PDB file of all heavy atoms in Angstrom:
ATOM      1  N   ARG A 248     -16.864  57.473  23.058  1.00 90.00           N
ATOM      2  CA  ARG A 248     -18.193  57.917  22.625  1.00 90.00           C
ATOM      3  C   ARG A 248     -18.474  57.641  21.140  1.00 90.00           C
ATOM      4  O   ARG A 248     -19.539  57.149  20.785  1.00 90.00           O
ATOM      5  CB  ARG A 248     -18.313  59.414  22.947  1.00 90.00           C
ATOM      6  CG  ARG A 248     -19.676  59.958  22.713  1.00 90.00           C
ATOM      7  CD  ARG A 248     -19.815  61.364  23.291  1.00 90.00           C
ATOM      8  NE  ARG A 248     -21.055  61.932  22.852  1.00 90.00           N
ATOM      9  CZ  ARG A 248     -22.257  61.529  23.274  1.00 90.00           C
ATOM     10  NH1 ARG A 248     -22.347  60.579  24.188  1.00 90.00           N
ATOM     11  NH2 ARG A 248     -23.345  62.066  22.810  1.00 90.00           N
ATOM     12  N   MET A 249     -17.488  57.937  20.290  1.00 88.00           N
ATOM     13  CA  MET A 249     -17.727  57.762  18.851  1.00 88.00           C
ATOM     14  C   MET A 249     -17.897  56.283  18.490  1.00 88.00           C
ATOM     15  O   MET A 249     -18.745  55.915  17.685  1.00 88.00           O
ATOM     16  CB  MET A 249     -16.590  58.389  18.020  1.00 88.00           C
ATOM     17  CG  MET A 249     -16.660  59.912  17.894  1.00 88.00           C
ATOM     18  SD  MET A 249     -18.353  60.578  17.779  1.00 88.00           S
ATOM     19  CE  MET A 249     -18.864  60.005  16.166  1.00 88.00           C
ATOM     20  N   ASP A 250     -17.075  55.431  19.140  1.00 83.00           N
ATOM     21  CA  ASP A 250     -17.220  53.991  18.877  1.00 83.00           C
ATOM     22  C   ASP A 250     -18.581  53.504  19.346  1.00 83.00           C
ATOM     23  O   ASP A 250     -19.228  52.665  18.702  1.00 83.00           O
ATOM     24  CB  ASP A 250     -16.125  53.195  19.614  1.00 83.00           C
ATOM     25  CG  ASP A 250     -14.829  53.200  18.823  1.00 83.00           C
ATOM     26  OD1 ASP A 250     -14.873  53.595  17.644  1.00 83.00           O
ATOM     27  OD2 ASP A 250     -13.787  52.831  19.397  1.00 83.00           O
ATOM     28  N   ALA A 251     -19.016  54.041  20.492  1.00 85.00           N
ATOM     29  CA  ALA A 251     -20.309  53.625  21.041  1.00 85.00           C
ATOM     30  C   ALA A 251     -21.434  54.016  20.068  1.00 85.00           C
ATOM     31  O   ALA A 251     -22.350  53.228  19.808  1.00 85.00           O
ATOM     32  CB  ALA A 251     -20.525  54.266  22.407  1.00 85.00           C
ATOM     33  N   ILE A 252     -21.332  55.198  19.510  1.00 89.00           N
ATOM     34  CA  ILE A 252     -22.366  55.665  18.558  1.00 89.00           C
ATOM     35  C   ILE A 252     -22.354  54.779  17.303  1.00 89.00           C
ATOM     36  O   ILE A 252     -23.391  54.317  16.822  1.00 89.00           O
ATOM     37  CB  ILE A 252     -22.133  57.154  18.212  1.00 89.00           C
ATOM     38  CG1 ILE A 252     -22.533  58.000  19.431  1.00 89.00           C
ATOM     39  CG2 ILE A 252     -22.890  57.570  16.959  1.00 89.00           C
ATOM     40  CD1 ILE A 252     -22.174  59.458  19.351  1.00 89.00           C
ATOM     41  N   LYS A 253     -21.152  54.510  16.818  1.00 84.00           N
ATOM     42  CA  LYS A 253     -21.009  53.677  15.617  1.00 84.00           C
ATOM     43  C   LYS A 253     -21.619  52.287  15.869  1.00 84.00           C
ATOM     44  O   LYS A 253     -22.355  51.740  15.056  1.00 84.00           O
ATOM     45  CB  LYS A 253     -19.509  53.533  15.301  1.00 84.00           C
ATOM     46  CG  LYS A 253     -19.234  53.465  13.842  1.00 84.00           C
ATOM     47  CD  LYS A 253     -17.803  53.716  13.438  1.00 84.00           C
ATOM     48  CE  LYS A 253     -16.744  53.108  14.298  1.00 84.00           C
ATOM     49  NZ  LYS A 253     -15.390  53.346  13.900  1.00 84.00           N
ATOM     50  N   HIS A 254     -21.297  51.775  17.026  1.00 77.00           N
ATOM     51  CA  HIS A 254     -21.729  50.431  17.398  1.00 77.00           C
ATOM     52  C   HIS A 254     -23.263  50.351  17.498  1.00 77.00           C
ATOM     53  O   HIS A 254     -23.901  49.449  16.924  1.00 77.00           O
ATOM     54  CB  HIS A 254     -21.049  50.104  18.734  1.00 77.00           C
ATOM     55  CG  HIS A 254     -21.655  48.965  19.473  1.00 77.00           C
ATOM     56  ND1 HIS A 254     -21.546  47.672  19.031  1.00 77.00           N
ATOM     57  CD2 HIS A 254     -22.378  48.919  20.616  1.00 77.00           C
ATOM     58  CE1 HIS A 254     -22.174  46.881  19.874  1.00 77.00           C
ATOM     59  NE2 HIS A 254     -22.693  47.604  20.841  1.00 77.00           N
ATOM     60  N   VAL A 255     -23.868  51.323  18.174  1.00 82.00           N
ATOM     61  CA  VAL A 255     -25.327  51.317  18.331  1.00 82.00           C
ATOM     62  C   VAL A 255     -25.996  51.520  16.968  1.00 82.00           C
ATOM     63  O   VAL A 255     -26.993  50.863  16.642  1.00 82.00           O
ATOM     64  CB  VAL A 255     -25.776  52.397  19.348  1.00 82.00           C
ATOM     65  CG1 VAL A 255     -27.294  52.539  19.377  1.00 82.00           C
ATOM     66  CG2 VAL A 255     -25.248  52.059  20.738  1.00 82.00           C
ATOM     67  N   ALA A 256     -25.404  52.402  16.148  1.00 81.00           N
ATOM     68  CA  ALA A 256     -25.973  52.649  14.817  1.00 81.00           C
ATOM     69  C   ALA A 256     -26.004  51.345  14.023  1.00 81.00           C
ATOM     70  O   ALA A 256     -27.011  50.996  13.399  1.00 81.00           O
ATOM     71  CB  ALA A 256     -25.139  53.702  14.086  1.00 81.00           C
ATOM     72  N   TYR A 267     -26.195  59.829  16.858  1.00 92.00           N
ATOM     73  CA  TYR A 267     -25.500  60.966  17.469  1.00 92.00           C
ATOM     74  C   TYR A 267     -26.517  62.025  17.902  1.00 92.00           C
ATOM     75  O   TYR A 267     -26.512  62.501  19.032  1.00 92.00           O
ATOM     76  CB  TYR A 267     -24.501  61.546  16.459  1.00 92.00           C
ATOM     77  CG  TYR A 267     -23.746  62.735  16.995  1.00 92.00           C
ATOM     78  CD1 TYR A 267     -22.648  62.551  17.831  1.00 92.00           C
ATOM     79  CD2 TYR A 267     -24.138  64.025  16.671  1.00 92.00           C
ATOM     80  CE1 TYR A 267     -21.959  63.633  18.346  1.00 92.00           C
ATOM     81  CE2 TYR A 267     -23.463  65.120  17.178  1.00 92.00           C
ATOM     82  CZ  TYR A 267     -22.370  64.920  18.019  1.00 92.00           C
ATOM     83  OH  TYR A 267     -21.702  65.992  18.529  1.00 92.00           O
TER      84      TYR A 267
END
Side-chain angles (χ1 to χ4, degrees):
R248 187 169 170 70
M249 282 324 291
D250 278 347
I252 287 171
K253 214 163 41 180
H254 163 70
V255 172
Y267 179 81

